[in-house]
């Protein structure tokens, strides 16, 4: 049984509780709870933490964006519902700000940037980056923008999961980990739950522009350079053999 909890109160979720996980975000649909017996004083405030619980285990943590009470008289007298729109933990990084000016070690700079989230109960689950220093100049910058800036300069990937766990890993560290999934021409897409990879192609000035969304492209002339555990066959790599110009879309 799935329930929603906040302020040490547990509520029954009406209908389904839908959410979607991707490689960089967890999104929720609006959640409606049985609010019978409660009053306006019990309505959660904006950005208040709520937990979705299944069998006494927290499976997702969200933050209230909007709360809409609905006092329904057609079902039975006194019956009430409350609809909640939730933000994911990662979205909180777009709302919290940080100021950081100076030169720091990479780890210290990242910890200082993440500190407002750590004060809110977030935890660093993984922290694997190389030694070195970085100079920052952030004044009331969102945590998301500050982290993206630092991670771009240090070749680092960061992510916050649905339970407020923060992962910060260098690209080199991630390349050294075992392959989670390999997708090639022999892959059975249905077995791995992948429907398709559909880039869009534009033809501009006698050249084809291929657009991918939410993709980090690592290019090398030799596949073994990226991961020596993946067999390399002549002609398998590179993916595109023509000349390439990579541009980051703004």
């Amino acid at each position: 049984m799935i329930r929603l909890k906040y302020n040490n109160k547990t509520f029954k979720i009406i209908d389904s509780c839908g959410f979607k996980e991707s490689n960089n975000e967890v999104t929720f649909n609006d959640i409606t709870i049985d609010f019978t017996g409660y009053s306006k004083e019990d309505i959660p405030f904006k950005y208040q933490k709520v937990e979705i619980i299944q069998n006494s285990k927290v499976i997702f943590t969200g933050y209230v964006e909007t709360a809409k009470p609905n006092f329904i008289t057609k079902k039975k007298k006194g019956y009430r519902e409350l609809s909640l729109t939730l933000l994911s933990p990662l979205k909180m990084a777009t709302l919290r700000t940080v100021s950081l000016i100076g030169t720091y070690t990479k780890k210290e700079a990242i910890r200082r940037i993440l500190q407002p989230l750590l004060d809110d109960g977030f935890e660093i689950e993984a922290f694997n980056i190389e030694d070195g220093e970085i100079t920052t100049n952030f004044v009331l910058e969102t945590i998301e923008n500050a982290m993206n800036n630092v991670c771009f300069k240090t070749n680092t990937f960061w992510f916050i999961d649905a339970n407020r766990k923060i992962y910060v890993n260098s690209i080199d560290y991630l390349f050294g980990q075992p392959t989670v999934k390999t997708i090639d021409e022999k892959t059975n897409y249905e077995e791995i739950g992948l429907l398709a990879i559909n880039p869009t192609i534009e033809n501009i000035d006698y050249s084809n522009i291929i657009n991918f969304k939410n993709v980090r492209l690592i290019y090398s002339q030799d596949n073994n350079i990226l991961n020596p555990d993946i067999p390399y066959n002549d002609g398998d790599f590179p993916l595109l053999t023509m000349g390439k110009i990579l541009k980051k879309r703004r």
Side-chain angles (χ1 to χ4, degrees):
M1 190 69 69
I2 299 179
R3 294 286 187 265
L4 184 140
K5 180 180 179 181
Y6 66 87
N7 285 348
N8 293 320
K9 299 182 179 69
T10 303
F11 301 85
K12 177 183 177 181
I13 296 177
I14 300 172
D15 298 327
S16 62
C17 173
F19 51 85
K20 182 172 65 175
E21 289 186 272
S22 68
N23 66 319
N24 61 351
E25 179 64 293
V26 179
T27 56
F28 305 86
N29 66 348
D30 286 356
I31 297 176
T32 302
I33 61 175
D34 186 343
F35 206 59
T36 303
Y38 295 94
S39 65
K40 62 181 182 180
E41 286 78 14
D42 299 304
I43 297 176
F45 53 82
K46 193 176 182 69
Y47 303 145
Q48 181 169 346
K49 184 187 77 172
V50 301
E51 296 173 330
I52 300 175
I53 300 173
Q54 184 175 34
N55 300 327
S56 301
K57 180 182 179 182
V58 177
I59 57 174
F60 291 103
T61 301
Y63 294 84
V64 176
E65 183 177 28
T66 60
K68 299 177 182 178
N70 185 12
F71 299 163
I72 302 175
T73 57
K74 292 183 179 180
K75 291 188 176 182
K76 62 181 179 179
K77 186 176 181 180
Y79 180 80
R80 298 176 177 179
E81 292 181 355
L82 182 68
S83 294
L84 301 173
T85 301
L86 301 182
L87 299 174
S88 70
L90 186 59
K91 283 293 185 184
M92 297 304 292
T94 69
L95 302 173
R96 297 283 189 264
T97 60
V98 65
S99 296
L100 189 65
I101 300 174
T103 300
Y104 307 89
T105 65
K106 295 177 183 179
K107 286 189 175 182
E108 183 182 6
I110 290 174
R111 284 188 182 276
R112 285 174 177 257
I113 292 171
L114 294 173
Q115 193 59 52
L117 294 179
L118 300 179
D119 293 340
D120 285 343
F122 287 61
E123 297 180 2
I124 297 178
E125 183 71 10
F127 203 169
N128 300 286
I129 63 174
E130 298 174 354
D131 295 332
E133 293 186 340
I134 187 170
T135 299
T136 62
N137 186 25
F138 303 128
V139 178
L140 293 179
E141 188 67 74
T142 66
I143 292 176
E144 180 189 47
N145 287 343
M147 283 296 295
N148 287 344
N149 181 286
V150 169
C151 289
F152 177 77
K153 293 178 179 178
T154 59
N155 292 324
T156 302
F157 177 82
W158 76 288
F159 174 73
I160 303 176
D161 69 13
N163 284 312
R164 304 190 297 172
K165 304 291 186 182
I166 303 173
Y167 301 81
V168 183
N169 295 304
S170 71
I171 299 299
D172 288 339
Y173 171 81
L174 292 175
F175 275 144
Q177 301 305 298
T179 302
V180 175
K181 196 180 301 292
T182 300
I183 300 175
D184 56 26
E185 69 277 2
K186 300 177 182 178
T187 300
N188 186 326
Y189 293 162
E190 292 183 359
E191 289 182 359
I192 65 173
L194 178 66
L195 296 179
I197 299 176
N198 293 323
T200 60
I201 301 178
E202 302 175 53
N203 188 282
I204 301 176
D205 295 333
Y206 303 101
S207 64
N208 290 325
I209 298 177
I210 302 177
N211 299 304
F212 289 91
K213 185 177 181 181
N214 292 333
V215 169
R216 184 185 293 272
L217 178 61
I218 307 298
Y219 180 78
S220 171
Q221 290 185 339
D222 187 347
N223 201 26
N224 291 342
I225 294 176
L226 297 183
N227 192 336
D229 296 327
I230 298 177
Y232 173 70
N233 298 318
D234 240 357
D236 285 354
F237 205 84
L239 178 63
L240 305 174
T241 57
M242 71 287 289
K244 291 168 283 297
I245 298 177
L246 303 184
K247 292 184 178 181
K248 182 179 179 180
R249 291 216 174 214
R250 295 183 177 180

